[in-house]
Amino acid sequence: MKAIQISEPSVMKVIDIAEPQMGDDEVLLKMKYVGFCGSDLSTFRGGNPMVKMPVVPGHEVGAEIVSVGKNVPEGLKPGMTVTVNPYTNCGKCASCRNGRVNACQHNETLGVQRWGAMREYLVLPWEKVIPAGLLTPRTCALVEPMSVGFHAVSRAQVTDIDVVVVIGCGMVGMGAVVRSAQRGATVVAVDIDDDKLVLARQMGASYTINSKTEDIHARLLEMTSGFGPDVVIEAVGSAPTYQMAVDEVAFTGRVICIGYAKTEVSFQTKYFVQKELDIRGSRNAQPSDFRAVIHYLERGTCPVDQLISRVVKPEEAFEAIRQWDVAPGKVFRILVDFDGCD
């Protein structure tokens, strides 16, 4: 069967691999659409320290169940449209013991530490297969990245009296915008791309700031009567945006870190103490976050077509990710269409 492989930095090709064999507790999935995410782009660039190459990338999935093992619950049936939870959990580490399996110490994410979903067929334990309700397979490929943003909002304990700043309006950031707005918060979206900021307003942001052309500090003080925002969610992963989050959050505020910074970050640590900040990491997503995103997308209010920048066949994937590498700011999601690969 066809699969897409990144064998070394800047080298991607379509290869032929054996079809997977399904066990009694597993589900065989036919991939329909699989999304390229920022970690896949980082792998392509050679900048993903967690990846094991060569690798088949991909963990944002819209699929159809082909068959199920004999021990799989009746709720999963052939023909169902599903997405997947791409993370593993060991069940033994401190995170798993505390019920936060999304942050398992020994997690192996599809397409990073283990071969991913950019292939025609995939076998997974039934527990990792998530029914997608009324969603199309194409829309399903947006569920996982948005769930990461939803989870960050849970980590921030956002309420309707909060002003929430989301730094970075990619797919994960958009998820944080949506979930914060759902909880009744006043949402401020920050990015350097005006097109993304326009879309952020459609998805629930009350205000937008282009941090490249505007004075973000002055704007935030103006919006918050001089207090600063209650919550800042960092969804970029760069030294300047990490520093921005700590600098701009209000006294006794919450800073939620999603993005992996590629370099060391220097802070004025006095703000940690003076502001008595809660600084929290947010990793991956919980099953409840996946369900919440599916529920949101089923309403039909999300501008799905604007979030999907391009759909390509496997043979076109290399050129698509190469172009994304050149102009990353203009891409939300590139989907690979495996539907016609039989």
Side-chain angles (χ1 to χ4, degrees):
M1 66 176 180
K2 287 182 180 179
I4 294 171
Q5 183 189 71
I6 302 174
S7 56
E8 58 184 282
S10 302
V11 178
M12 175 186 287
K13 58 186 176 182
V14 178
I15 63 172
D16 186 66
I17 62 174
E19 292 192 12
Q21 301 300 308
M22 183 185 68
D24 291 342
D25 299 299
E26 294 179 319
V27 177
L28 175 63
L29 302 176
K30 172 68 173 77
M31 297 297 101
K32 297 290 188 176
Y33 294 92
V34 183
F36 277 121
C37 77
S39 65
D40 298 321
L41 179 60
S42 181
T43 298
F44 180 76
R45 290 171 165 173
N48 189 342
M50 295 181 289
V51 75
K52 299 176 182 178
M53 285 209 239
V55 68
V56 172
H59 54 255
E60 302 175 356
V61 172
E64 181 181 298
I65 296 178
V66 176
S67 57
V68 300
K70 66 179 183 180
N71 296 333
V72 173
E74 292 185 2
L76 297 173
K77 299 180 182 296
M80 289 181 65
T81 296
V82 298
T83 189
V84 306
N85 182 330
Y87 326 120
T88 63
N89 53 284
C90 69
K92 300 176 182 179
C93 70
S95 300
C96 291
R97 183 180 62 184
N98 291 330
R100 291 162 67 176
V101 296
N102 57 293
C104 174
Q105 182 178 350
H106 305 293
N107 167 64
E108 293 186 347
T109 299
L110 282 172
V112 185
Q113 294 92 348
R114 57 188 172 130
W115 281 24
M118 291 269 179
R119 56 175 103 176
E120 293 182 65
Y121 294 93
L122 180 67
V123 164
L124 287 175
W126 68 264
E127 296 94 339
K128 299 300 182 181
V129 179
I130 303 172
L134 302 176
L135 301 187
T136 66
R138 182 171 170 267
T139 301
C140 281
L142 304 180
V143 171
E144 191 274 342
M146 293 193 75
S147 72
V148 176
F150 272 47
H151 182 66
V153 173
S154 294
R155 291 283 292 141
Q157 297 175 299
V158 170
T159 73
D160 59 348
I161 63 172
D162 289 324
V163 175
V164 179
V165 171
V166 179
I167 305 174
C169 293
M171 279 296 303
V172 171
M174 288 298 189
V177 168
V178 168
R179 194 57 163 166
S180 297
Q182 286 183 334
R183 292 191 175 198
T186 300
V187 185
V188 184
V190 178
D191 204 281
I192 60 174
D193 186 288
D194 286 330
D195 291 337
K196 290 184 176 181
L197 293 173
V198 169
L199 189 53
R201 278 189 178 269
Q202 294 182 42
M203 299 184 74
S206 300
Y207 304 95
T208 59
I209 300 174
N210 187 319
S211 57
K212 190 175 183 179
T213 60
E214 301 178 74
D215 185 336
I216 186 170
H217 181 68
R219 288 287 312 279
L220 288 176
L221 290 181
E222 177 187 354
M223 293 173 187
T224 62
S225 302
F227 291 108
D230 305 283
V231 175
V232 179
I233 297 175
E234 200 287 333
V236 176
S238 72
T241 51
Y242 262 79
Q243 292 164 342
M244 180 189 297
V246 172
D247 290 348
E248 300 302 338
V249 73
F251 275 63
T252 68
R254 289 99 75 197
V255 175
I256 310 301
C257 306
I258 309 175
Y260 283 95
K262 309 304 185 292
T263 60
E264 291 186 1
V265 184
S266 298
F267 290 104
Q268 292 287 342
T269 55
K270 66 178 182 180
Y271 290 146
F272 296 10
V273 178
Q274 286 182 345
K275 293 185 176 183
E276 198 175 48
L277 298 181
D278 289 333
I279 301 176
R280 305 174 185 176
S282 182
R283 184 182 180 192
N284 300 330
Q286 291 271 23
S288 59
D289 300 309
F290 282 85
R291 294 196 300 272
V293 172
I294 290 169
H295 181 63
Y296 160 67
L297 291 172
E298 282 183 321
R299 297 175 184 172
T301 58
C302 179
V304 169
D305 289 341
Q306 295 183 61
L307 295 175
I308 298 173
S309 305
R310 188 175 178 185
V311 179
V312 300
K313 295 295 184 181
E315 293 78 9
E316 301 167 324
F318 170 74
E319 182 60 22
I321 202 167
R322 189 193 66 78
Q323 292 178 7
W324 186 20
D325 183 25
V326 173
K330 294 299 181 182
V331 172
F332 279 104
R333 274 302 176 271
I334 297 169
L335 304 187
V336 180
D337 178 3
F338 284 90
D339 201 22
C341 290
D342 287 331

